[in-house]
Amino acid sequence: MHVPDGFINAPTSAVTGVVAAGAIAVSLRGARRELDEKTAPLAGLVAAFIFAVQMLNFPVAAGTSGHLLGGALAAILVGPYTGVLCVSVVLLMQGILFADGGLTALGVNITDMAIVTTVVAYAVFRGLVKVLPRTRRSVTVASFVAALLSVPAAAVTFTFLYRIGGTTDVAIGKVATAMVGVHVLIGIGEAAITSLTVGAVIAVRPDLVYGARGLRQMLKLRVNGELVDAPAAHTAPVAARASRRTLWVTGLVTSLVLAGFASFYASASPDGLEKVAADQGIDKKTENHASADSPLADYGVKDVANARLSGGLAGVIGVGVTVVAGSAVFWAVRRRRTADASPTAVENV
């Protein structure tokens, strides 16, 4: 669903740019409350993982493919504010380095793919976990439904933006029907990837999943005929750090393998937006990307003739750049939180 330059006119793109900038500013402040010494490293990894999985287009219908958007996954793993930042970092790296998603349309893409998917997914997720039994399985089920609904929500948002600022005269009803129809199918893939990933992290470190916080039921002991809460079991600090490090390394290696190797076998069919744009004629005024001459444009390394090697190297570079950029952002936010909570800061309030 990466919107290229030329689909949406300049005034609408400018307005979405202001919306995106405002949402990022709010998210930077909100992320201070979400990020701690455990989740800050995970957030950079989540951004890199989303980048890697977005390279794996999967077939959803005849001649159409889809890929992960990632808003639901990021929101559930590291929190909604941090989730917006994760997907925004991915979109920025893709637009600047890989000519994927227009630079003038960056505000459109952040609004649609980062803000809408994250907000919708997390709202649905929180609503479900409040009514479902307080178990890990409920978190996985809620993740599936939240991710499923977030994708057609993004499709509806794009249709709305196109209705306001589209650059071609097309029947918006047909665009809406086509966009929602294909993205419901893509949403199933999004839901499967999101729930499997969340379930895998919960299985090894449930305390690192933001959406699972507060869901653990206390163990009850009967004392003198009354049920009381059992003392909480604490993981040794050294063991906890080792476990986090193992999870981080495993996640990074997985991302590198997906982007550097598995991406070669991804579907070559156009994704949902590209297919609808071609069928409905909304791509007639598509503009050349400002980063079309980038050495990594179109997810290949310039002057590397072998397609498999070229794509693999581009994927590995993308994962590396994204994890570094994302980690730098989240550590900076984490340090700001620490500074705000320092004794000096408290005394000055």
Side-chain angles (χ1 to χ4, degrees):
M1 199 179 285
H2 294 77
V3 179
D5 296 317
F7 271 29
I8 306 295
N9 62 27
T12 306
S13 296
V15 170
T16 57
V18 172
V19 171
I24 289 174
V26 171
S27 296
L28 285 168
R29 292 185 62 86
R32 296 182 201 171
R33 300 190 297 272
E34 295 173 347
L35 294 170
D36 54 28
E37 70 280 356
K38 295 188 296 185
T39 55
L42 182 62
L45 177 62
V46 168
F49 182 77
I50 290 173
F51 175 91
V53 180
Q54 283 196 2
M55 294 183 67
L56 304 178
N57 281 46
F58 49 85
V60 295
T64 310
S65 70
H67 63 70
L68 181 80
L69 298 185
L73 177 62
I76 295 165
L77 286 180
V78 293
Y81 293 108
T82 308
V84 170
L85 298 178
C86 282
V87 181
S88 297
V89 167
V90 173
L91 293 172
L92 186 62
M93 296 299 101
Q94 290 171 332
I96 293 176
L97 299 178
F98 298 91
D100 189 10
L103 295 184
T104 62
L106 186 59
V108 174
N109 285 318
I110 290 177
T111 300
D112 196 22
M113 295 177 65
I115 301 170
V116 171
T117 59
T118 302
V119 171
V120 170
Y122 198 71
V124 172
F125 175 81
R126 294 307 307 174
L128 288 174
V129 296
K130 286 182 179 180
V131 300
L132 292 173
R134 299 168 68 84
T135 63
R136 296 177 184 178
R137 180 173 296 180
S138 296
V139 174
T140 304
V141 171
S143 300
F144 185 95
V145 178
L148 175 64
L149 296 179
S150 69
V151 178
V156 170
T157 301
F158 169 79
T159 305
F160 173 75
L161 293 175
Y162 198 82
R163 174 65 180 84
I164 296 174
T167 55
T168 58
D169 185 15
V170 298
I172 200 66
K174 292 183 178 180
V175 174
T177 301
M179 283 292 292
V180 174
V182 71
H183 284 90
V184 166
L185 299 177
I186 295 173
I188 297 173
E190 178 102 9
I193 295 170
T194 299
S195 59
L196 287 172
T197 304
V198 170
V201 178
I202 286 181
V204 294
R205 285 298 301 269
D207 58 306
L208 294 182
V209 178
Y210 184 88
R213 293 180 179 180
L215 294 180
R216 287 183 294 178
Q217 292 177 311
M218 293 295 295
L219 178 64
K220 298 288 186 178
L221 296 178
R222 187 173 296 276
V223 179
N224 297 327
E226 297 183 359
L227 289 176
V228 298
D229 291 336
H234 297 285
T235 304
V238 174
R241 286 196 298 269
S243 177
R244 290 199 302 270
R245 188 180 302 113
T246 300
L247 177 64
W248 196 91
V249 171
T250 301
L252 180 60
V253 171
T254 300
S255 300
L256 291 170
V257 170
L258 291 175
F261 177 74
S263 61
F264 182 77
Y265 301 97
S267 173
S269 299
D271 67 21
L273 177 59
E274 292 172 333
K275 178 66 173 175
V276 172
D279 290 346
Q280 302 299 325
I282 65 178
D283 60 350
K284 295 178 181 178
K285 295 187 178 180
T286 304
E287 300 174 1
N288 292 329
H289 200 286
S291 298
D293 294 329
S294 166
L296 299 172
D298 298 323
Y299 297 95
V301 177
K302 188 177 182 180
D303 298 329
V304 176
N306 184 283
R308 177 175 296 188
L309 179 60
S310 177
L313 286 174
V316 168
I317 293 170
V319 168
V321 171
T322 303
V323 76
V324 170
S327 297
V329 170
F330 300 125
W331 274 116
V333 173
R334 167 64 183 155
R335 289 182 57 136
R336 183 65 181 270
R337 167 181 167 167
T338 303
D340 291 345
S342 66
T344 303
V346 173
E347 290 174 2
N348 291 334
V349 175

